[in-house]
Amino acid sequence: MKKAIIGKKVGMTQIFDEMGKVIPVTVIEAGPCVVTQKMTVEKEGYEAVQLGYEEVTEKHISKPEAGHLKKNGLGMLKHLKEFKLENAAELNVGDVLKADVFAAGDKVDVTGTSKGHGYAGVIKRHGAQRTPTSHGGGPVHRHAGSMGSGTDPSRIFKGKIGAGHMGVDQVTVQNLDVVQVDPELNMLVIRGAIPGPKGGLVYVKSTAKIAPVKKGEGAAISVNPQKASARVNPQKASARNK
């Protein structure tokens, strides 16, 4: 990946572009992050850096983490995360990364932990359908129903939907646009929603998506008359106006 940073979700709001259109955005407090460890090909077999985020007192982190940070002469940092960055060889322990590693227009993937919903039933958790509420349906309208045959296979297959713990899963939303960057406030403004509650920890990385290459006008139009993209319906207004 090209760039990455650790941050916290502040919340959602909306801004307006030059045309006056509303853009729903999520504000992220990104960084400052300190390089706490550097991995090299000679020692670890690959190039990467470990970033630390959010200064805390020593009592709020484990003793192994505190010893790791003291060995490098750094302050106590609550969150540590390793990233394989393209410029990892140029970074050194103690370097600080701020929100301005990203710029407006960048495409990013944001990883966070989804909101917890506690113990939920199949309707809320999986979008299952309830049973009809008339003609003696009984008090089972929101139950899961049959789990499968009892004789064979006499068990429930893995993956069968059911009630259970909902949320608190790692979720990554890909290919979001960075709308604004404010390095003084350590702020990233990203178009759209990202996982997690307000104050939740998030990892912002350069997107893994590959942008399609445009091959000129009409490149995707088929010349096969059997395909819908090549047929012209004279009854449609779009065909009559040509």
Side-chain angles (χ1 to χ4, degrees):
M1 70 189 73
K2 295 180 181 178
K3 298 174 279 189
I5 200 167
I6 309 172
K8 280 187 177 181
K9 177 178 176 179
V10 177
M12 289 198 71
T13 183
Q14 62 185 26
I15 60 176
F16 296 88
D17 63 7
E18 297 81 3
M19 303 297 292
K21 292 184 179 179
V22 173
I23 303 175
V25 295
T26 303
V27 180
I28 297 176
E29 181 188 334
C33 293
V34 182
V35 177
T36 56
Q37 186 178 352
K38 182 176 180 179
M39 291 73 175
T40 60
V41 177
E42 294 77 16
K43 188 175 180 181
E44 286 83 11
Y46 64 96
E47 287 188 348
V49 291
Q50 183 189 72
L51 300 183
Y53 173 68
E54 192 177 359
E55 293 185 1
V56 292
T57 56
E58 187 174 340
K59 69 178 182 179
H60 288 107
I61 61 175
S62 66
K63 287 186 177 181
E65 288 179 332
H68 167 64
L69 295 169
K70 286 179 181 178
K71 182 180 70 174
N72 293 326
L74 303 170
M76 300 298 105
L77 298 164
K78 187 175 182 180
H79 306 288
L80 303 177
K81 177 72 173 175
E82 184 178 310
F83 298 97
K84 289 185 177 181
L85 303 178
E86 287 186 352
N87 65 335
E90 303 171 9
L91 298 172
N92 296 304
V93 174
D95 289 351
V96 178
L97 302 182
K98 296 185 177 181
D100 55 2
V101 296
F102 292 98
D106 287 351
K107 298 280 189 178
V108 295
D109 297 340
V110 183
T111 301
T113 302
S114 62
K115 291 181 179 179
H117 295 271
Y119 188 93
V122 288
I123 292 180
K124 181 176 180 179
R125 191 180 185 210
H126 296 290
Q129 185 179 6
R130 62 165 176 77
T131 60
T133 56
S134 61
H135 301 293
V140 293
H141 302 297
R142 297 178 68 89
H143 287 201
S146 174
M147 292 282 106
S149 173
T151 305
D152 181 27
S154 298
R155 64 187 177 89
I156 299 175
F157 290 116
K158 286 185 177 180
K160 183 73 177 75
I161 66 171
H165 188 194
M166 181 179 178
V168 198
D169 295 317
Q170 180 174 290
V171 180
T172 299
V173 181
Q174 294 184 314
N175 214 28
L176 299 177
D177 295 317
V178 177
V179 180
Q180 289 181 7
V181 178
D182 192 331
E184 295 183 2
L185 297 175
N186 297 318
M187 184 178 69
L188 287 177
V189 180
I190 296 176
R191 182 192 297 264
I194 65 172
K198 294 177 182 177
L201 189 74
V202 294
Y203 305 119
V204 184
K205 301 167 285 189
S206 297
T207 185
K209 294 282 187 181
I210 299 175
V213 179
K214 294 183 179 180
K215 298 181 179 179
E217 192 173 340
I221 299 175
S222 175
V223 294
N224 186 346
Q226 300 300 321
K227 288 189 175 181
S229 58
R231 294 196 296 269
V232 178
N233 187 348
Q235 302 299 323
K236 285 188 175 181
S238 59
R240 293 197 299 269
N241 293 335
K242 288 183 180 179

